[in-house]
Amino acid sequence: MLTRRQIRVKVMQCIYALTLSQDESLDKQKIFLKESISNTYSLYLLVLSLLIELYKMERNFLKLSSKKYITTKADSTSVDPQRFVKNQVLAQLANNEVLLDTLENKKLTNWDLHQDYIKIVFKAIKKSDIYTEYMGLEEVNYEKDKDFIAHLFKEIIAPNEKIYEYFEDDKLTWVDDIPLVNTFILKSIRKVKPDSPASYFLPDLLKDSDDIIFAEQLLVKTLLNNKAFEEEIQLKTPNWDKDRIADIDAILLKMAICELLHFPSIPERVTINEYLEIAKEYSTPKSSIFINGILDKMVREYRQSGKLKKIGRGLL
């Protein structure tokens, strides 16, 4: 689920948090990094469980309606008033025992205490043309059920501001994870099949153990060499006052220098491109140009001096 770029962002966040707090405890930052990575998976599970909660809310609504003999406007225009709870993709989620056990084991019961957020999304769905059109279809099948949930997630659930505000208030690091998680869930919905195993919706957070090793080493080596990297940057920016360089730019430069010098298996062009893309998203509009200029100079000098030692395939 997490790419190397997203791992780099989490390392950047750790170093930035350390800069603000002036807490030089390396152990605390390593714990913070691991928690930040782990919390991404918790966010993924919570967003996924939101779909289950919507399913349960509609099911309860139908039970109450049948007892009270209430016919709503939506019911009157529906071929089958129970179509939402019969949706095969929603049923796959709601009846996925492995997923439900994981939510319980991780104590991800947030929605039990915040049903008001589920109601907000539920009402938005009921008012939407997407819902009305789906409920009015003469016939549905698995593909139509899947298209409906994907469309609903993309247009109604993922962009909901109240849900965004809830996640932002709960954990600050989730702000950067929300687009990643929403995109991943949307892709998963679009690719799910009737016979997908229960584990389909429980992907690995990291590709392999090398990713967490990379994250920790990048954090540790950048922090341990902070002073040396700072001096390196100052030599390349003689006309710039240290305070004029944005904090994020300085952190990204240090991390990039660390990769160039201490991660021989990562091609230099990969390193430069990754940090330029991160700068475009997290720093000032001109940051990527500034960072690119400095890294370009450094790479040329490192090559000439023999400091740049890269190994493996795909190197420049």
Side-chain angles (χ1 to χ4, degrees), residues 38-50:
S38 175
N39 284 336
T40 301
Y41 202 67
S42 296
L43 176 63
Y44 164 78
L45 290 171
L46 279 175
V47 177
L48 204 59
S49 68
L50 193 151

Side-chain angles (χ1 to χ4, degrees), residues 107-125:
K107 296 181 172 56
L108 294 173
T109 57
N110 302 46
W111 303 127
D112 291 346
L113 300 174
H114 299 286
Q115 281 289 299
D116 47 329
Y117 288 98
I118 305 300
K119 289 176 183 175
I120 289 170
V121 179
F122 185 71
K123 288 178 181 178
I125 289 171

Side-chain angles (χ1 to χ4, degrees), residues 54-278:
L54 291 168
Y55 169 90
K56 288 159 60 176
M57 185 165 283
E58 174 70 348
R59 187 181 58 191
N60 292 337
F61 174 78
L62 289 172
K63 283 182 181 178
L64 290 172
S65 297
S66 63
K67 289 179 180 178
K68 296 180 180 179
Y69 302 99
I70 296 173
T71 301
T72 65
K73 184 179 178 181
D75 293 336
S76 63
T77 58
S78 301
V79 174
D80 180 2
Q82 295 190 347
R83 177 165 288 171
F84 190 85
V85 293
K86 289 179 179 178
N87 184 284
Q88 295 175 73
V89 176
L90 279 182
Q92 264 180 294
L93 288 168
N95 299 314
N96 188 323
E97 293 298 331
V98 179
L99 174 58
L100 296 176
D101 287 345
T102 301
L103 289 167
E104 185 177 348
N105 292 337
K106 289 182 175 292
K107 296 181 172 56
L108 294 173
T109 57
N110 302 46
W111 303 127
D112 291 346
L113 300 174
H114 299 286
Q115 281 289 299
D116 47 329
Y117 288 98
I118 305 300
K119 289 176 183 175
I120 289 170
V121 179
F122 185 71
K123 288 178 181 178
I125 289 171
K126 288 297 187 79
K127 290 179 181 178
S128 71
D129 293 337
I130 300 170
Y131 178 83
T132 303
E133 182 181 336
Y134 173 71
M135 296 298 285
L137 293 174
E138 288 299 322
E139 293 182 1
V140 293
N141 53 31
Y142 188 85
E143 287 304 312
K144 288 182 179 179
D145 282 354
K146 182 167 65 173
D147 289 344
F148 167 65
I149 297 301
H151 199 188
L152 205 65
F153 185 82
K154 181 182 178 182
E155 302 297 334
I156 308 295
I157 300 172
N160 189 279
E161 291 185 5
K162 291 296 182 183
I163 296 297
Y164 181 91
E165 289 171 6
Y166 168 72
F167 288 137
E168 184 180 26
D169 290 341
D170 198 312
K171 285 183 177 61
L172 190 58
T173 57
W174 276 351
V175 173
D176 294 310
D177 292 336
I178 291 172
L180 159 71
V181 166
N182 284 341
T183 300
F184 188 86
I185 289 177
L186 184 59
K187 286 181 179 178
S188 299
I189 292 171
R190 285 173 173 165
K191 293 181 180 180
V192 70
K193 297 177 181 178
D195 58 352
S196 292
S199 59
Y200 174 81
F201 284 109
L202 291 168
D204 292 330
L205 175 60
L206 300 171
K207 186 173 68 174
D208 51 45
S209 59
D210 287 346
D211 281 345
I212 193 65
I213 293 172
F214 166 73
E216 288 191 2
Q217 287 187 347
L218 181 58
L219 173 68
V220 171
K221 290 180 179 181
T222 301
L223 292 177
L224 290 179
N225 292 283
N226 180 67
K227 189 173 180 181
F229 294 158
E230 207 164 80
E231 292 172 355
E232 190 92 22
I233 294 168
Q234 287 177 348
L235 289 173
K236 300 299 180 295
T237 55
N239 298 323
W240 282 74
D241 189 311
K242 178 184 173 183
D243 295 333
R244 286 182 60 202
I245 301 176
D247 288 340
I248 294 295
D249 291 358
I251 291 169
L252 293 178
L253 279 169
K254 291 171 187 175
M255 289 172 64
I257 295 169
C258 185
E259 275 192 36
L260 290 171
L261 298 179
H262 299 283
F263 291 80
S265 64
I266 301 177
E268 61 205 58
R269 183 44 56 187
V270 170
T271 292
I272 293 173
N273 287 343
E274 287 289 274
Y275 287 103
L276 292 184
E277 290 303 313
I278 295 172

